Amino acid sequence: MEKEVALMFSGGLDTTVAALVLKEHYERVHLVTVVQGFCLFTYRPGLVAKELQRKFGRHRFPHRVLDGRELFRLMRDDFDEQYRKYRSPLLVDLVCRLMMETMTIIYCHQRGISSSADGNSLAQDQIFIQQGEYLEAVKEFFGRHGITHRNPVLAFETREERMAKLAEYGLDRGSDMLNSLGVSSHFFKQCFCFGAIPSFCFTSGLRNMPILKEFTRSHGLPLASALEFRRDRELISERYIQDHGDDVIEL
């Protein structure tokens, strides 16, 4: 069994399942929640972390909340220009996730952790976030900083399989009603990010409704564009890592 891994943790279904899978391979799973200033209910991941700690021991699941607001602001400085170029609200989702990756890298460097993970699943493979080439770009970004990055939830093909993993360990499955509506069963256990609203329109059944079908077609973010924009934002991440490697702020 390996010693430590840092997991980008929202408290939602996928990251909670990721924590359980990682527990089977690591002695300690660091739950890393990053606050970027656009989320409500930021206390919720802490409640899920406490549930894991009560079940398995506090030492197995240390939870840290990092302040990513400055980096998120830097990545959005020229957002008007970038939106005119790409014309997609999914830019916000990409920037938010890259910000979390960057803060996780800094966290790992400060603690000598060489492994990281996220909760990416097949639930949103309609957009670039869960597509293979994009996931490889994420792994390559971590790899440049000496960190091996994993996607432990990709092995679960359905949401029901992920919910069953929680039940296997005696944890709350979340809401079956929300699951039946195509919403995360742990919607009320995780932060609510305003940037998630457009993503939901692109990934849920709503995208096929007449009122949204044309919008999602014309304002999506193709994989090639997502990778191009990501490479540009990674330059900001690299500078931030160089300048803030020793002073990441915990909330």
Side-chain angles (χ1 to χ4, degrees):
M1 180 175 287
E2 298 182 61
K3 189 173 182 181
E4 294 183 294
V5 61
L7 169 65
M8 294 188 289
F9 186 72
S10 69
L13 171 63
D14 294 335
T15 58
T16 304
V17 170
L20 295 175
V21 174
L22 293 169
K23 181 191 73 66
E24 298 168 354
H25 302 280
Y26 292 88
E27 295 178 12
R28 182 174 297 168
V29 181
H30 293 252
L31 307 176
V32 180
T33 301
V34 185
V35 174
Q36 32 78 313
F38 276 39
C39 285
L40 301 175
F41 313 117
T42 54
Y43 65 89
R44 287 177 174 173
L47 299 179
V48 180
K50 288 180 180 178
E51 184 180 3
L52 292 169
Q53 291 168 353
R54 285 193 297 268
K55 187 77 175 178
F56 304 105
R58 188 179 182 87
H59 67 288
R60 295 297 304 276
F61 289 104
H63 180 231
R64 297 291 184 271
V65 181
L66 309 184
D67 187 352
R69 290 174 293 182
E70 179 186 20
L71 177 56
F72 194 52
R73 178 186 58 77
L74 291 172
M75 287 188 169
R76 301 184 346 262
D77 269 352
D78 61 345
F79 212 68
D80 288 345
E81 177 184 344
Q82 296 299 332
Y83 187 83
R84 285 194 295 272
K85 178 178 180 180
Y86 293 102
R87 295 184 57 78
S88 175
L90 294 176
L91 295 176
V92 177
D93 200 357
L94 190 156
V95 165
C96 184
R97 291 173 187 249
L98 179 57
M99 178 272 301
M100 290 189 288
E101 295 166 21
T102 304
M103 299 301 292
T104 301
I105 287 172
I106 295 174
Y107 181 90
C108 287
H109 284 175
Q110 290 182 333
R111 289 159 178 78
I113 299 171
S114 59
S115 297
S116 63
D118 59 39
N120 276 315
S121 71
L122 300 174
Q124 292 184 336
D125 60 353
Q126 301 91 347
I127 60 175
F128 63 89
I129 291 294
Q130 268 89 38
Q131 294 176 5
E133 191 173 349
Y134 190 86
L135 293 177
E136 287 303 314
V138 174
K139 292 179 180 179
E140 195 275 334
F141 178 56
F142 277 93
R144 292 203 304 267
H145 295 278
I147 300 169
T148 301
H149 190 72
R150 295 176 172 85
N151 312 117
V153 187
L154 288 181
F156 298 81
E157 294 186 3
T158 67
R159 186 175 287 160
E160 182 57 39
E161 288 178 332
R162 300 195 293 280
M163 294 170 69
K165 186 69 173 178
L166 301 184
E168 175 187 333
Y169 279 98
L171 297 176
D172 181 13
R173 281 172 47 96
S175 169
D176 287 301
M177 182 186 72
L178 289 176
N179 183 48
S180 67
L181 296 174
V183 181
S184 171
S185 60
H186 281 50
F187 181 81
F188 295 111
K189 286 178 170 285
Q190 63 191 66
C191 304
F192 175 77
C193 178
F194 290 104
I197 297 174
S199 295
F200 183 72
C201 293
F202 281 89
T203 58
S204 72
L206 293 176
R207 69 184 185 277
N208 296 317
M209 295 177 61
I211 193 172
L212 286 176
K213 195 169 185 177
E214 177 58 28
F215 174 80
T216 56
R217 186 197 65 78
S218 59
H219 289 77
L221 189 61
L223 177 61
S225 297
L227 290 170
E228 178 185 69
F229 180 65
R230 179 188 172 90
R231 286 191 291 269
D232 179 77
R233 298 297 97 167
E234 282 183 1
L235 298 176
I236 299 174
S237 290
E238 298 289 359
R239 290 194 296 269
Y240 194 86
I241 291 170
Q242 292 175 9
D243 295 342
H244 296 78
D246 298 321
D247 61 354
V248 63
I249 299 174
E250 293 188 19
L251 297 175

